[in-house]
Amino acid sequence: MKVAHSQGAYEISFLGLSEAFAAVPDGSHIITDEHVKALYGHLFAGEKCISVAAGEQSKSISTFESCLEALARAGATRKSSVVGFGGGVIGDLAGFVAASYMRGVAFIQIPTTLLAQVDSSVGGKVGIDLKAGKNLAGAFYPPKAVYVCAEVLQTLDQRQFNNGMAEVWKYGFIADKDLFDRLTNGASWHARSTQLQEVVKLCLQIKARIVEEDEFEEKGIRASLNFGHTVGHAIEHLCGFKGILHGEAISVGMVAEALLGERLGITELGTREKVAGSLASQGLPTKWDQKWDVPKAVEAMMRDKKRISDGLAFSLLTHIGECKLITGVSCEAVEQVLGSL
Ligand code: NAD
Ligand code: ZN
Protein backbone atom coordinates (compact mmCIF):
# COMPACT_ATOMS: atom_id res chain seq x y z
CA MET A 1 0.00 0.00 0.00
CA LYS A 2 1.45 3.39 -1.01
CA VAL A 3 0.96 6.71 0.76
CA ALA A 4 1.68 9.78 -1.37
CA HIS A 5 2.83 13.07 0.17
CA SER A 6 4.23 16.40 -0.98
CA GLN A 7 7.81 15.10 -1.21
CA GLY A 8 7.13 11.65 -2.65
CA ALA A 9 5.53 8.50 -1.33
CA TYR A 10 6.17 5.67 1.07
CA GLU A 11 5.15 2.05 1.11
CA ILE A 12 3.37 0.31 3.97
CA SER A 13 4.46 -3.34 3.86
CA PHE A 14 3.02 -6.25 5.79
CA LEU A 15 5.96 -8.40 6.86
CA GLY A 16 7.08 -10.90 9.46
CA LEU A 17 9.30 -9.34 12.15
CA SER A 18 12.50 -11.06 10.97
CA GLU A 19 11.73 -9.98 7.41
CA ALA A 20 11.20 -6.41 8.60
CA PHE A 21 14.58 -6.29 10.35
CA ALA A 22 16.21 -7.86 7.30
CA ALA A 23 14.70 -5.07 5.15
CA VAL A 24 16.12 -2.29 7.34
CA PRO A 25 19.27 -0.69 5.80
CA ASP A 26 22.60 -1.89 7.23
CA GLY A 27 23.95 0.31 10.00
CA SER A 28 20.52 1.70 10.96
CA HIS A 29 19.99 3.14 14.42
CA ILE A 30 17.05 1.52 16.16
CA ILE A 31 15.16 3.58 18.72
CA THR A 32 12.95 1.53 21.01
CA ASP A 33 11.72 1.40 24.61
CA GLU A 34 12.99 -0.84 27.42
CA HIS A 35 9.84 -2.90 27.47
CA VAL A 36 9.83 -3.63 23.74
CA LYS A 37 13.58 -4.26 23.81
CA ALA A 38 13.16 -6.85 26.56
CA LEU A 39 10.60 -8.67 24.39
CA TYR A 40 12.21 -8.36 20.95
CA GLY A 41 15.81 -7.18 21.48
CA HIS A 42 17.19 -10.58 20.37
CA LEU A 43 16.00 -9.79 16.83
CA PHE A 44 18.37 -6.84 16.52
CA ALA A 45 21.09 -7.85 18.96
CA GLY A 46 23.94 -6.89 16.60
CA GLU A 47 22.45 -3.53 15.59
CA LYS A 48 22.98 -0.05 17.01
CA CYS A 49 20.20 0.57 19.47
CA ILE A 50 19.03 3.49 21.59
CA SER A 51 16.59 2.39 24.24
CA VAL A 52 14.47 4.80 26.29
CA ALA A 53 12.08 4.29 29.22
CA ALA A 54 8.65 2.93 28.24
CA GLY A 55 5.75 5.37 28.44
CA GLU A 56 4.65 8.86 27.52
CA GLN A 57 7.36 10.45 29.72
CA SER A 58 9.86 9.61 26.97
CA LYS A 59 8.20 12.05 24.58
CA SER A 60 10.18 14.78 26.33
CA ILE A 61 12.80 17.38 25.41
CA SER A 62 15.35 15.60 27.63
CA THR A 63 14.85 12.18 25.97
CA PHE A 64 14.81 13.85 22.54
CA GLU A 65 18.15 15.47 23.37
CA SER A 66 19.67 12.27 24.71
CA CYS A 67 18.65 10.40 21.51
CA LEU A 68 20.28 13.07 19.33
CA GLU A 69 23.46 12.94 21.43
CA ALA A 70 23.45 9.14 21.27
CA LEU A 71 23.19 9.26 17.46
CA ALA A 72 26.11 11.67 17.31
CA ARG A 73 28.21 9.50 19.66
CA ALA A 74 27.42 6.44 17.56
CA GLY A 75 28.73 8.25 14.48
CA ALA A 76 25.42 8.58 12.62
CA THR A 77 25.76 10.53 9.37
CA ARG A 78 23.32 12.14 6.95
CA LYS A 79 23.12 8.80 5.17
CA SER A 80 22.11 6.89 8.31
CA SER A 81 18.58 5.65 8.93
CA VAL A 82 16.62 5.81 12.15
CA VAL A 83 14.14 3.01 12.85
CA GLY A 84 11.34 3.62 15.36
CA PHE A 85 10.51 0.19 16.81
CA GLY A 86 7.74 0.53 19.37
CA GLY A 87 4.33 2.03 20.05
CA GLY A 88 3.14 5.54 19.27
CA VAL A 89 5.48 7.08 21.82
CA ILE A 90 8.54 5.65 20.07
CA GLY A 91 7.19 6.46 16.60
CA ASP A 92 6.59 10.10 17.53
CA LEU A 93 9.91 10.48 19.36
CA ALA A 94 12.09 8.60 16.86
CA GLY A 95 10.43 10.42 13.96
CA PHE A 96 11.17 13.82 15.48
CA VAL A 97 14.74 12.72 16.23
CA ALA A 98 15.10 11.59 12.58
CA ALA A 99 13.58 14.87 11.35
CA SER A 100 16.07 16.90 13.43
CA TYR A 101 19.35 15.01 13.30
CA MET A 102 21.57 16.71 10.70
CA ARG A 103 18.38 18.39 9.40
CA GLY A 104 16.77 15.07 8.62
CA VAL A 105 17.81 11.46 8.08
CA ALA A 106 15.78 8.56 6.69
CA PHE A 107 13.10 7.30 9.07
CA ILE A 108 11.48 3.85 9.12
CA GLN A 109 8.53 2.93 11.34
CA ILE A 110 8.02 -0.57 12.73
CA PRO A 111 4.93 -0.03 14.92
CA THR A 112 4.43 -2.56 17.72
CA THR A 113 1.11 -1.56 19.29
CA LEU A 114 -2.25 -1.85 17.53
CA LEU A 115 -2.73 1.91 18.03
CA ALA A 116 0.57 2.62 16.31
CA GLN A 117 -0.17 0.16 13.49
CA VAL A 118 -3.56 1.61 12.58
CA ASP A 119 -2.93 5.23 13.42
CA SER A 120 0.29 6.89 14.54
CA SER A 121 2.78 5.20 12.18
CA VAL A 122 1.07 6.65 9.10
CA GLY A 123 0.49 10.31 8.32
CA GLY A 124 3.89 11.83 9.06
CA LYS A 125 3.11 13.56 12.34
CA VAL A 126 6.05 13.27 14.72
CA GLY A 127 6.81 15.13 17.90
CA ILE A 128 7.17 15.35 21.63
CA ASP A 129 5.35 16.89 24.58
CA LEU A 130 6.23 20.11 26.38
CA LYS A 131 5.45 20.97 29.99
CA ALA A 132 2.82 23.29 28.53
CA GLY A 133 1.00 20.46 26.76
CA LYS A 134 1.03 17.28 24.71
CA ASN A 135 2.51 17.16 21.18
CA LEU A 136 3.40 20.86 21.26
CA ALA A 137 6.77 20.44 19.51
CA GLY A 138 6.96 18.45 16.32
CA ALA A 139 6.99 18.27 12.56
CA PHE A 140 5.36 16.71 9.56
CA TYR A 141 8.05 14.22 8.59
CA PRO A 142 6.88 11.25 6.54
CA PRO A 143 8.70 7.95 7.00
CA LYS A 144 10.59 6.29 4.15
CA ALA A 145 8.75 3.04 4.88
CA VAL A 146 6.38 1.46 7.39
CA TYR A 147 6.66 -2.25 8.21
CA VAL A 148 3.57 -3.69 9.85
CA CYS A 149 4.20 -7.02 11.60
CA ALA A 150 1.15 -8.91 12.84
CA GLU A 151 2.95 -11.16 15.30
CA VAL A 152 4.12 -8.35 17.62
CA LEU A 153 0.55 -7.70 18.69
CA GLN A 154 0.47 -11.05 20.46
CA THR A 155 2.51 -9.75 23.38
CA LEU A 156 0.17 -6.81 24.03
CA ASP A 157 -2.09 -7.21 27.03
CA GLN A 158 -5.83 -7.02 26.34
CA ARG A 159 -6.08 -3.47 27.70
CA GLN A 160 -3.41 -2.18 25.31
CA PHE A 161 -5.02 -4.16 22.50
CA ASN A 162 -8.42 -2.60 23.24
CA ASN A 163 -6.72 0.80 23.33
CA GLY A 164 -5.96 0.35 19.63
CA MET A 165 -9.36 -1.17 18.92
CA ALA A 166 -10.98 2.13 19.92
CA GLU A 167 -9.29 3.71 16.88
CA VAL A 168 -10.23 0.69 14.73
CA TRP A 169 -13.90 1.09 15.63
CA LYS A 170 -13.56 4.81 14.97
CA TYR A 171 -12.59 4.12 11.34
CA GLY A 172 -15.73 2.02 10.98
CA PHE A 173 -17.89 4.75 12.52
CA ILE A 174 -16.49 7.65 10.48
CA ALA A 175 -15.69 6.13 7.11
CA ASP A 176 -16.65 2.53 6.43
CA LYS A 177 -19.97 0.85 7.16
CA ASP A 178 -18.62 -2.47 5.79
CA LEU A 179 -15.75 -2.32 8.28
CA PHE A 180 -18.27 -1.58 11.03
CA ASP A 181 -20.34 -4.62 9.98
CA ARG A 182 -17.27 -6.80 9.86
CA LEU A 183 -16.23 -5.65 13.34
CA THR A 184 -19.74 -6.20 14.67
CA ASN A 185 -19.85 -9.75 13.28
CA GLY A 186 -16.43 -10.60 14.67
CA ALA A 187 -17.49 -10.98 18.31
CA SER A 188 -14.75 -9.76 20.65
CA TRP A 189 -11.50 -8.94 18.90
CA HIS A 190 -8.10 -10.00 20.18
CA ALA A 191 -4.56 -10.22 18.86
CA ARG A 192 -5.10 -13.71 17.43
CA SER A 193 -8.38 -12.94 15.65
CA THR A 194 -8.01 -14.45 12.19
CA GLN A 195 -9.33 -11.40 10.36
CA LEU A 196 -7.29 -8.86 12.33
CA GLN A 197 -4.69 -8.29 9.60
CA GLU A 198 -7.43 -7.59 7.06
CA VAL A 199 -8.99 -5.12 9.49
CA VAL A 200 -5.63 -3.38 10.11
CA LYS A 201 -5.22 -3.04 6.31
CA LEU A 202 -8.67 -1.53 5.92
CA CYS A 203 -7.92 1.00 8.68
CA LEU A 204 -4.63 1.93 7.04
CA GLN A 205 -6.33 2.39 3.67
CA ILE A 206 -8.74 4.84 5.28
CA LYS A 207 -5.99 6.71 7.13
CA ALA A 208 -3.77 6.80 4.02
CA ARG A 209 -6.60 8.21 1.89
CA ILE A 210 -7.40 10.91 4.45
CA VAL A 211 -3.80 12.03 5.01
CA GLU A 212 -3.13 12.06 1.26
CA GLU A 213 -6.03 14.44 0.78
CA ASP A 214 -5.05 16.72 3.64
CA GLU A 215 -1.40 16.12 4.50
CA PHE A 216 -0.94 19.24 6.64
CA GLU A 217 -4.36 19.26 8.30
CA GLU A 218 -5.47 22.43 6.53
CA LYS A 219 -8.60 21.41 4.68
CA GLY A 220 -10.75 20.00 7.43
CA ILE A 221 -10.49 16.49 5.93
CA ARG A 222 -7.88 15.16 8.35
CA ALA A 223 -9.97 16.67 11.14
CA SER A 224 -12.56 13.94 10.46
CA LEU A 225 -10.17 11.56 12.26
CA ASN A 226 -10.93 13.52 15.40
CA PHE A 227 -14.32 11.93 16.02
CA GLY A 228 -14.47 11.36 19.79
CA HIS A 229 -11.22 13.21 20.28
CA THR A 230 -12.48 16.65 21.34
CA VAL A 231 -14.21 15.17 24.37
CA GLY A 232 -11.51 12.46 24.66
CA HIS A 233 -8.68 14.98 24.86
CA ALA A 234 -10.61 16.93 27.51
CA ILE A 235 -10.91 13.73 29.58
CA GLU A 236 -7.19 13.02 29.21
CA HIS A 237 -6.49 16.59 30.23
CA LEU A 238 -8.77 16.42 33.29
CA CYS A 239 -7.04 13.19 34.37
CA GLY A 240 -3.60 14.75 33.89
CA PHE A 241 -2.96 11.96 31.29
CA LYS A 242 -2.79 9.42 34.11
CA GLY A 243 -4.82 6.30 34.75
CA ILE A 244 -6.71 6.37 31.45
CA LEU A 245 -5.40 5.29 28.06
CA HIS A 246 -6.01 7.40 24.95
CA GLY A 247 -8.29 4.75 23.41
CA GLU A 248 -10.36 4.60 26.59
CA ALA A 249 -10.75 8.39 26.68
CA ILE A 250 -11.83 8.56 23.03
CA SER A 251 -14.18 5.63 23.56
CA VAL A 252 -16.09 7.73 26.11
CA GLY A 253 -15.61 10.70 23.77
CA MET A 254 -17.17 8.91 20.78
CA VAL A 255 -20.28 8.03 22.78
CA ALA A 256 -20.55 11.63 24.04
CA GLU A 257 -20.05 13.09 20.57
CA ALA A 258 -22.58 10.68 19.05
CA LEU A 259 -25.10 11.97 21.59
CA LEU A 260 -24.09 15.56 20.80
CA GLY A 261 -24.64 14.86 17.10
CA GLU A 262 -28.07 13.40 17.79
CA ARG A 263 -28.99 16.43 19.91
CA LEU A 264 -27.84 18.82 17.18
CA GLY A 265 -29.87 16.92 14.57
CA ILE A 266 -26.76 15.92 12.59
CA THR A 267 -26.47 12.29 13.64
CA GLU A 268 -29.15 9.72 12.79
CA LEU A 269 -31.09 8.82 15.94
CA GLY A 270 -30.04 5.48 17.41
CA THR A 271 -26.39 5.92 16.38
CA ARG A 272 -25.19 6.66 19.90
CA GLU A 273 -26.63 3.33 21.02
CA LYS A 274 -24.79 1.47 18.23
CA VAL A 275 -21.53 3.26 19.01
CA ALA A 276 -21.85 2.53 22.74
CA GLY A 277 -22.83 -1.11 22.15
CA SER A 278 -19.86 -1.71 19.85
CA LEU A 279 -17.31 -0.19 22.20
CA ALA A 280 -18.76 -1.99 25.23
CA SER A 281 -18.49 -5.31 23.33
CA GLN A 282 -14.75 -4.61 23.04
CA GLY A 283 -14.47 -4.02 26.80
CA LEU A 284 -14.02 -0.27 26.29
CA PRO A 285 -15.60 2.32 28.62
CA THR A 286 -18.64 4.21 27.35
CA LYS A 287 -19.05 6.48 30.36
CA TRP A 288 -16.59 8.32 32.44
CA ASP A 289 -16.75 6.99 35.97
CA GLN A 290 -15.72 10.30 37.54
CA LYS A 291 -18.05 13.23 37.99
CA TRP A 292 -17.60 15.70 35.15
CA ASP A 293 -16.24 19.09 35.98
CA VAL A 294 -18.22 20.39 33.01
CA PRO A 295 -16.88 23.98 32.87
CA LYS A 296 -13.30 22.71 33.15
CA ALA A 297 -13.90 20.12 30.42
CA VAL A 298 -15.31 22.75 28.06
CA GLU A 299 -12.43 25.08 28.89
CA ALA A 300 -9.99 22.30 27.94
CA MET A 301 -11.82 21.87 24.60
CA MET A 302 -11.65 25.60 23.92
CA ARG A 303 -7.87 25.45 24.48
CA ASP A 304 -7.40 22.38 22.22
CA LYS A 305 -4.78 23.33 19.65
CA LYS A 306 -6.89 21.81 16.89
CA ARG A 307 -9.70 24.28 17.50
CA ILE A 308 -10.41 26.00 14.19
CA SER A 309 -13.37 28.29 14.69
CA ASP A 310 -15.41 30.35 17.06
CA GLY A 311 -17.32 28.01 19.29
CA LEU A 312 -16.14 24.40 19.10
CA ALA A 313 -15.48 22.15 16.13
CA PHE A 314 -16.44 18.48 16.10
CA SER A 315 -16.16 15.66 13.61
CA LEU A 316 -19.70 14.29 14.00
CA LEU A 317 -21.28 11.21 12.48
CA THR A 318 -24.16 11.69 10.08
CA HIS A 319 -24.76 7.95 10.41
CA ILE A 320 -22.54 4.89 10.87
CA GLY A 321 -19.89 5.03 8.13
CA GLU A 322 -19.89 8.77 7.48
CA CYS A 323 -18.92 11.93 9.30
CA LYS A 324 -18.89 15.65 8.77
CA LEU A 325 -16.90 18.50 10.30
CA ILE A 326 -19.23 20.79 12.24
CA THR A 327 -17.90 24.15 13.36
CA GLY A 328 -19.34 26.78 15.66
CA VAL A 329 -20.91 24.36 18.14
CA SER A 330 -21.87 26.34 21.22
CA CYS A 331 -20.34 25.63 24.61
CA GLU A 332 -23.89 25.38 26.01
CA ALA A 333 -24.77 22.47 23.70
CA VAL A 334 -21.63 20.64 24.79
CA GLU A 335 -22.22 21.40 28.46
CA GLN A 336 -25.72 19.98 28.22
CA VAL A 337 -24.44 16.72 26.73
CA LEU A 338 -21.67 16.32 29.29
CA GLY A 339 -24.10 17.17 32.07
CA SER A 340 -26.49 14.45 30.95
CA LEU A 341 -23.94 11.64 30.65
P1 NAD B 1 3.14 3.42 23.88
O1 NAD B 1 4.08 3.63 22.77
O2 NAD B 1 3.46 4.05 25.19
O3 NAD B 1 2.92 1.87 24.10
C1 NAD B 1 2.12 1.43 25.16
C2 NAD B 1 2.83 0.38 26.02
O4 NAD B 1 2.91 -0.84 25.31
C3 NAD B 1 4.27 0.75 26.39
O5 NAD B 1 4.49 0.35 27.73
C4 NAD B 1 5.10 -0.12 25.46
O6 NAD B 1 6.36 -0.45 26.00
C5 NAD B 1 4.24 -1.34 25.32
N1 NAD B 1 4.40 -2.09 24.08
C6 NAD B 1 4.63 -1.61 22.84
N2 NAD B 1 4.62 -2.61 21.95
C7 NAD B 1 4.40 -3.75 22.64
C8 NAD B 1 4.28 -5.11 22.26
N3 NAD B 1 4.34 -5.51 20.99
N4 NAD B 1 4.05 -6.02 23.24
C9 NAD B 1 3.94 -5.63 24.53
N5 NAD B 1 4.03 -4.36 24.94
C10 NAD B 1 4.26 -3.43 24.00
O7 NAD B 1 1.66 3.94 23.52
P2 NAD B 1 0.74 3.84 22.21
O8 NAD B 1 -0.63 3.69 22.73
O9 NAD B 1 1.26 2.88 21.22
O10 NAD B 1 0.91 5.31 21.57
C11 NAD B 1 0.49 6.46 22.24
C12 NAD B 1 1.24 7.64 21.69
O11 NAD B 1 0.96 7.76 20.30
C13 NAD B 1 0.84 8.96 22.33
O12 NAD B 1 1.99 9.69 22.69
C14 NAD B 1 0.10 9.70 21.20
O13 NAD B 1 0.25 11.11 21.28
C15 NAD B 1 0.77 9.12 19.99
N6 NAD B 1 -0.06 9.19 18.77
C16 NAD B 1 0.48 9.77 17.67
C17 NAD B 1 -0.25 9.88 16.50
C18 NAD B 1 0.39 10.46 15.28
O14 NAD B 1 -0.30 10.65 14.27
N7 NAD B 1 1.66 10.75 15.29
C19 NAD B 1 -1.55 9.36 16.43
C20 NAD B 1 -2.08 8.76 17.58
C21 NAD B 1 -1.32 8.68 18.74
ZN1 ZN C 1 -6.58 8.97 18.66
Side-chain angles (χ1 to χ4, degrees):
M1 187 187 307
K2 255 201 167 45
V3 186
H5 57 85
S6 49
Q7 289 143 45
Y10 54 94
E11 189 73 39
I12 306 174
S13 310
F14 297 84
L15 303 175
L17 252 187
S18 319
E19 271 181 295
F21 280 108
V24 156
D26 285 343
S28 293
H29 298 257
I30 295 163
I31 300 186
T32 188
D33 76 31
E34 297 291 350
H35 189 183
V36 173
K37 189 178 175 196
L39 290 166
Y40 297 104
H42 58 282
L43 290 169
F44 49 90
E47 309 289 332
K48 296 172 194 148
C49 172
I50 302 168
S51 177
V52 304
E56 185 73 26
Q57 80 264 23
S58 283
K59 267 176 64 174
S60 66
I61 288 276
S62 61
T63 312
F64 171 69
E65 182 188 7
S66 60
C67 289
L68 290 170
E69 293 288 357
L71 281 180
R73 275 197 310 276
T77 68
R78 265 191 202 145
K79 297 223 156 61
S80 300
S81 302
V82 166
V83 179
F85 180 58
V89 163
I90 291 301
D92 283 9
L93 170 72
F96 194 38
V97 168
S100 312
Y101 188 73
M102 293 190 170
R103 299 192 186 85
V105 296
F107 174 47
I108 294 169
Q109 290 259 24
I110 308 182
T112 63
T113 60
L114 180 59
L115 183 130
Q117 290 195 352
V118 298
D119 190 359
S120 59
S121 61
V122 168
K125 281 191 190 176
V126 297
I128 55 173
D129 305 329
L130 299 183
K131 288 196 186 76
K134 231 177 102 63
N135 295 327
L136 285 184
F140 284 98
Y141 194 68
K144 287 275 178 272
V146 182
Y147 301 145
V148 178
C149 310
E151 76 240 51
V152 275
L153 301 182
Q154 292 181 10
T155 49
L156 286 179
D157 62 32
Q158 191 64 33
R159 188 177 177 203
Q160 284 292 349
F161 181 81
N162 289 349
N163 184 40
M165 281 304 293
E167 301 282 0
V168 170
W169 278 101
K170 181 193 76 178
Y171 288 115
F173 299 148
I174 65 167
D176 191 341
K177 170 77 164 58
D178 289 345
L179 171 60
F180 171 81
D181 289 338
R182 191 191 273 237
L183 291 170
T184 309
N185 296 332
S188 148
W189 289 80
H190 50 83
R192 289 173 199 273
S193 297
T194 48
Q195 290 187 45
L196 184 64
Q197 265 311 280
E198 277 310 302
V199 163
V200 168
K201 279 184 194 166
L202 287 172
C203 294
L204 284 170
Q205 275 161 8
I206 296 169
K207 174 114 192 208
R209 193 188 72 222
I210 291 174
V211 301
E212 278 181 347
E213 284 175 29
D214 186 12
E215 183 179 353
F216 300 114
E217 206 165 27
E218 296 161 328
K219 301 179 188 161
I221 299 168
R222 200 161 172 162
S224 65
L225 293 166
N226 281 341
F227 173 57
H229 281 60
T230 308
V231 171
H233 286 156
I235 295 174
E236 289 181 294
H237 181 82
L238 293 183
C239 297
F241 295 91
K242 294 204 171 68
I244 188 160
L245 299 177
H246 174 71
E248 295 166 346
I250 67 150
S251 178
V252 177
M254 288 190 279
V255 177
E257 293 182 18
L259 178 61
L260 176 68
E262 288 187 5
R263 293 256 174 101
L264 294 174
I266 287 155
T267 305
E268 187 177 60
L269 290 178
T271 303
R272 185 201 63 89
E273 215 175 310
K274 287 185 195 155
V275 168
S278 309
L279 296 166
S281 75
Q282 190 61 47
L284 282 159
T286 55
K287 280 189 186 142
W288 197 28
D289 52 9
Q290 296 179 31
K291 202 172 150 28
W292 286 99
D293 183 337
V294 173
K296 227 173 156 183
V298 174
E299 193 192 306
M301 291 176 207
M302 293 293 286
R303 260 193 282 118
D304 196 321
K305 73 175 191 302
K306 294 200 175 130
R307 203 162 75 85
I308 52 170
S309 67
D310 286 343
L312 291 156
F314 287 87
S315 162
L316 294 179
L317 303 182
T318 46
H319 50 266
I320 296 285
E322 201 181 281
C323 67
K324 199 161 142 183
L325 184 66
I326 305 292
T327 55
V329 177
S330 73
C331 294
E332 294 73 38
V334 179
E335 279 170 2
Q336 274 173 19
V337 164
L338 298 186
S340 69
L341 281 171

